[in-house]
Amino acid sequence: MPLLTLDDLSLSFGLQPLLDHASLTIDPGERVCLLGRNGEGKSTLLKIVSGEVIPDGGRVRLDEGAVLAVLPQNLPAQDRRTAYEVVASAFPETGSLLAQFHTLSQSADERSLDELMKVQERLEALDGWRLDQKVNAILAQYRIDPDQTLNTLSGGWQRRVLLARALVGEPHILMLDEPTNHLDVPAIAWLEEALSQFRGALLFVSHDRAFIRRMATRVVELDRGHLISFAATYDRYLDLKEKALEEEERQNALFDKRLKQEEVWIRQGIKARRTRNMGRVRALKAMREERQQRRERTGTANFAVEDAARSGKLVVEAKAAAFGYDADTPIVSNLNLTVMRGDKIGLIGENGTGKTTLVRLLLGELEPTAGIIRLGTNREVAYFDQLRAELDLSLNALDNLAEGREFIDINGQSKHVLGYLQEFLFTPERARSPVSVFSGGERARLLLAKLFSKPANILVLDEPTNDLDVETLELLESQLVEFAGTVVVISHDREFLDNVVTDTLFLNGTGEVKHFVGGYSDWRRQKGRFPAEEKIGKPSGKASTGTPKARGQAPKPVAPKAEKQAKLSYKMKHELEQLPGKIEVLEGEAEAIRAEVSAPEFYSRPSGDVTAALDRLAEVEARLEQTIERWMALEEQDS
């Protein structure tokens, strides 16, 4: 029995329908990734499921008794509630009473005691203490300090609190819209682990390919108003999608050829004044109507970077450079670095470690507080801002880009602004729409169009992958690889970094900047680790102090860190030798189960068999992750 059924949904906002009689079912235990190009209507579809948007036709059916929860895409700007209050708000009346009870319990005046008794009576009537236990239990499970206010937490910890709020009600299906946006890599890794332990169904929108590979058991694509399901892993989906598009092109070509032949026949019949076959005429009219209703797939984005004159061979050189807004907290210290023309540099680190500050230092926007930074010659810098601040939301795409021009020069060729925008998949109608109505992906594409319309030999991109669809991401990757100038990228997209950068700078938050050859995976292979992985449970937000504790519980004592790790014992060395074989066996077992759940007939089995297989996959993946972590720990100790 499906948990969720979308039956014949229709919705139109403009010339083309966002949803054109779209249907979908989701079964218990499935992890469904919803893919589609920017502006296709993925977020709108999720809002229809949650009831925020009413479709023009069709209906949404949840299985009787099923509970739906949503992890919101946007983080709250200034939410001064405590983590306890946020999680308890999942139970509207009871949560409000629980929050009120805990506030009143801290006061000792007589009036507060009277109100406290009333609240307590109401809580007992609503079985509120059981819910209080559930709230405290999930806060403890996720290592969240219940008394910390949301606005003092980092984005990753805010996402953690909101996930706890979504899951405390024990939902049967959880929806997530771009859950990895603005999260650093440790926060993404924690989110993946938390979601892999969730036994309900997932429906999520994401363009983070590594996240999709880890999480999705099925891919559903929203394409030209229709929902197309691929019972496959992400990599298998890519193969199936390519073959489907080739088959669609072949069928369309055959249809158009036959239509052309029929058009020739009808004209010849009229010219010769012969009696026409009216059945064939009616068939031709139907073919014309079918051709008119066909929605062509939007072309792939096609853009190039406007090259400026070459910069000097040396772009920037730092010698013992340091910077900090105050003397006690250095953001960068003792930096020794040489960036040459053509280098592709990736910056990684947890949020708040100073990646953007380091970029400004290397661009000459900030003066070092110590040491020397020498800038190269003939530098033309183009900057991609993760906050999209360079876009005027009150103007349309045309005015944002053109700035009064009708034509722009791209690599020596004069292009009309509308034609240039079409290379970034903006139709003339969409180009004249205000940017305020654009999706996040469309705004990112417009900013890329604006960025690449200006001559540059140094490209600086701050979180360029947020909201971009996969096809545009892949094109951007190829353009950056082929770009003759210098590229500096701040990103938490692991696959994007692997595909683009040749060197990685890692900021650990203490001011130290370490240089590694290669991308994210190469940094990992060179034993790169985030501080959060070494200090499990400590929030990375500025206001985080100490280990979070559940309400009413004392914090667990933290063992003092050894000054120096002891060498491996004989038993541990033997364990280290055995671990690669265990990892290989677990990888093989996980791959076999993935192949099983990727089979087209898998979800036609009884729901109990489906759930058991998915549980087994999650268990094997968890054991594999633990084994790899153990191997890394022993390897590090043995080095």
Side-chain angles (χ1 to χ4, degrees):
M1 182 72 180
L3 265 181
L4 175 68
T5 302
L6 310 182
D7 189 11
D8 208 31
L9 293 179
S10 298
L11 182 69
S12 295
F13 286 136
L15 297 175
Q16 297 283 6
L18 276 180
L19 297 173
D20 188 5
H21 302 284
S23 298
L24 176 69
T25 60
I26 296 178
D27 292 324
E30 284 194 282
R31 300 202 293 263
V32 179
C33 177
L34 178 62
L35 289 181
R37 290 184 168 183
N38 298 136
E40 286 281 354
K42 301 183 296 297
S43 296
T44 302
L45 179 62
L46 295 189
K47 289 178 181 178
I48 289 176
V49 175
S50 65
E52 295 178 56
V53 173
I54 305 300
D56 297 334
R59 60 177 180 163
V60 177
R61 294 199 307 271
L62 269 176
D63 188 26
E64 186 177 354
V67 177
L68 172 71
V70 179
L71 182 67
Q73 178 181 16
N74 298 320
L75 297 173
Q78 287 297 325
D79 194 332
R80 299 183 182 278
R81 292 179 297 169
T82 66
Y84 180 90
E85 290 172 336
V86 173
V87 176
S89 67
F91 313 106
E93 182 182 1
T94 311
S96 176
L97 288 169
L98 286 170
Q100 190 178 354
F101 177 84
H102 288 295
T103 301
L104 291 171
S105 62
Q106 297 173 7
S107 302
D109 58 89
E110 188 174 341
R111 181 179 177 183
S112 297
L113 289 174
D114 291 339
E115 292 183 21
L116 189 66
M117 290 180 63
K118 294 178 182 177
V119 171
Q120 185 173 350
E121 289 175 2
R122 182 62 180 152
L123 281 172
E124 289 173 354
L126 294 173
D127 196 18
W129 303 121
R130 183 180 61 83
L131 299 182
D132 176 63
Q133 289 177 350
K134 291 178 67 174
V135 171
N136 279 321
I138 200 165
L139 287 169
Q141 178 186 347
Y142 287 174
R143 300 174 181 264
I144 299 168
D145 184 345
D147 296 317
Q148 192 150 29
T149 56
L150 206 63
N151 63 336
T152 63
L153 292 172
S154 67
W157 278 82
Q158 285 189 23
R159 187 77 73 188
R160 188 180 290 215
V161 173
L162 294 176
L163 181 61
R165 181 191 183 279
L167 296 183
V168 72
E170 300 177 356
H172 299 88
I173 182 167
L174 176 64
M175 293 198 310
L176 311 95
D177 192 355
E178 294 288 3
T180 63
N181 270 7
H182 307 295
L183 296 187
D184 55 27
V185 176
I188 294 172
W190 178 89
L191 181 64
E192 290 174 345
E193 185 61 30
L195 292 177
S196 67
Q197 295 174 8
F198 175 59
R199 290 295 171 257
L202 291 178
L203 174 60
F204 65 95
V205 173
S206 180
H207 298 128
D208 184 327
R209 291 158 291 183
F211 181 81
I212 297 170
R213 283 189 175 92
R214 173 77 192 274
M215 299 310 306
T217 59
R218 178 159 64 113
V219 175
V220 173
E221 184 175 26
L222 179 54
D223 183 15
R224 290 164 283 180
H226 298 285
L227 290 169
I228 307 165
S229 179
F230 296 84
T233 59
Y234 178 68
D235 289 317
R236 178 62 177 155
Y237 150 77
L238 293 177
D239 294 335
L240 294 173
K241 180 63 180 175
E242 184 177 1
K243 292 176 183 177
L245 287 176
E246 290 174 357
E247 179 61 20
E248 180 183 339
E249 289 179 7
R250 190 181 72 82
Q251 292 293 340
N252 285 343
L254 289 173
F255 181 91
D256 293 342
K257 181 179 179 181
R258 186 181 166 209
L259 176 60
K260 186 177 180 180
Q261 292 172 342
E262 292 300 290
E263 294 287 2
V264 170
W265 168 80
I266 194 76
R267 283 164 178 73
Q268 287 176 342
I270 293 172
K271 186 175 180 181
R273 294 185 180 178
R274 294 194 295 268
T275 301
R276 284 172 286 164
N277 182 333
M278 293 311 296
R280 192 170 176 181
V281 172
R282 285 191 293 270
L284 174 58
K285 288 181 179 179
M287 289 179 71
R288 287 174 175 171
E289 179 65 22
E290 182 179 344
R291 181 63 183 86
Q292 186 178 358
Q293 294 298 321
R294 183 199 300 171
R295 287 179 63 177
E296 299 289 354
R297 181 172 171 82
T298 307
T300 304
N302 178 28
F303 53 81
V305 182
E306 165 71 341
D307 290 327
R310 294 207 308 177
S311 67
K313 188 174 181 181
L314 174 70
V315 175
V316 63
E317 183 181 26
K319 292 183 177 179
F323 180 83
Y325 291 102
D326 58 70
D328 297 330
T329 55
I331 297 175
V332 175
S333 61
N334 196 31
L335 174 65
N336 293 286
L337 176 69
T338 301
V339 179
M340 307 299 289
R341 181 180 62 230
D343 285 349
K344 307 290 191 293
I345 309 290
L347 274 67
I348 60 175
E350 296 177 15
N351 288 336
T353 52
K355 297 184 293 295
T356 302
T357 300
L358 175 59
V359 168
R360 294 182 64 196
L361 199 61
L362 297 178
L363 293 179
E365 296 178 8
L366 296 174
E367 290 290 332
T369 53
I372 299 171
I373 288 187
R374 184 161 64 97
L375 302 179
T377 59
N378 195 30
R379 297 165 25 127
E380 294 285 343
V381 180
Y383 193 91
F384 182 96
D385 177 19
Q386 66 164 317
L387 300 178
R388 321 290 192 248
E390 291 196 18
L391 297 178
D392 188 336
L393 302 186
S394 64
L395 300 178
N396 59 30
L398 195 63
D399 293 335
N400 260 288
L401 174 70
E403 298 175 346
R405 299 170 294 174
E406 189 175 354
F407 292 88
I408 56 177
D409 291 327
I410 305 293
N411 291 328
Q413 292 185 339
S414 181
K415 293 186 178 183
H416 194 278
V417 175
L418 276 176
Y420 177 69
L421 281 172
Q422 283 182 290
E423 294 179 1
F424 290 80
L425 306 183
F426 290 103
T427 63
E429 294 81 10
R430 197 61 175 168
R432 294 186 174 91
S433 302
V435 176
S436 58
V437 303
F438 281 11
S439 67
E442 288 175 311
R443 292 183 188 184
R445 277 210 317 269
L446 177 57
L447 191 56
L448 284 176
K450 190 172 182 177
L451 178 79
F452 292 162
S453 69
K454 298 174 181 177
N457 50 39
I458 300 174
L459 292 178
V460 179
L461 302 103
D462 192 351
E463 292 291 352
T465 64
N466 284 344
D467 302 310
L468 283 181
D469 59 48
V470 174
E471 289 185 13
T472 308
L473 262 179
E474 291 174 346
L475 179 59
L476 176 60
E477 288 172 350
S478 66
Q479 288 294 331
L480 294 178
V481 169
E482 295 172 6
F483 180 56
T486 306
V487 177
V488 179
V489 178
I490 300 173
S491 181
H492 301 304
D493 188 320
R494 296 154 287 183
E495 188 157 338
F496 184 81
L497 289 169
D498 280 342
N499 293 342
V500 171
V501 307
T502 57
D503 296 84
T504 296
L505 300 179
F506 172 63
L507 290 78
N508 62 9
T510 65
E512 186 180 14
V513 180
K514 291 185 178 180
H515 175 256
F516 296 84
V517 175
Y520 174 82
S521 297
D522 298 299
W523 170 72
R524 273 298 199 189
R525 277 193 289 272
Q526 295 172 70
K527 300 181 180 178
R529 296 187 73 189
F530 291 96
E533 294 174 312
E534 300 169 2
K535 301 175 183 178
I536 301 298
K538 183 176 180 180
S540 57
K542 292 182 180 178
S544 303
T545 56
T547 305
K549 59 183 181 300
R551 187 178 302 273
Q553 293 181 344
K556 294 180 180 179
V558 180
K561 191 174 181 180
E563 291 294 323
K564 187 177 181 181
Q565 289 180 326
K567 284 293 181 180
L568 295 182
S569 64
Y570 174 80
K571 184 177 180 181
M572 294 170 74
K573 283 187 176 181
H574 180 70
E575 181 187 1
L576 178 59
E577 292 171 358
Q578 299 297 315
L579 283 175
K582 291 181 179 180
I583 291 171
E584 187 175 354
V585 170
L586 287 170
E587 285 178 339
E589 188 177 349
E591 191 61 36
I593 301 174
R594 290 192 194 103
E596 179 187 350
V597 303
S598 299
E601 69 277 3
F602 175 73
Y603 289 101
S604 62
R605 299 182 188 176
S607 60
D609 293 349
V610 171
T611 302
L614 294 174
D615 287 347
R616 194 166 72 255
L617 176 59
E619 180 187 350
V620 172
E621 287 178 338
R623 284 166 49 203
L624 175 60
E625 188 73 21
Q626 291 170 359
T627 308
I628 291 173
E629 287 178 0
R630 177 62 175 165
W631 174 80
M632 289 176 64
L634 292 177
E635 271 280 302
E636 186 174 355
Q637 194 170 340
D638 191 44
S639 60

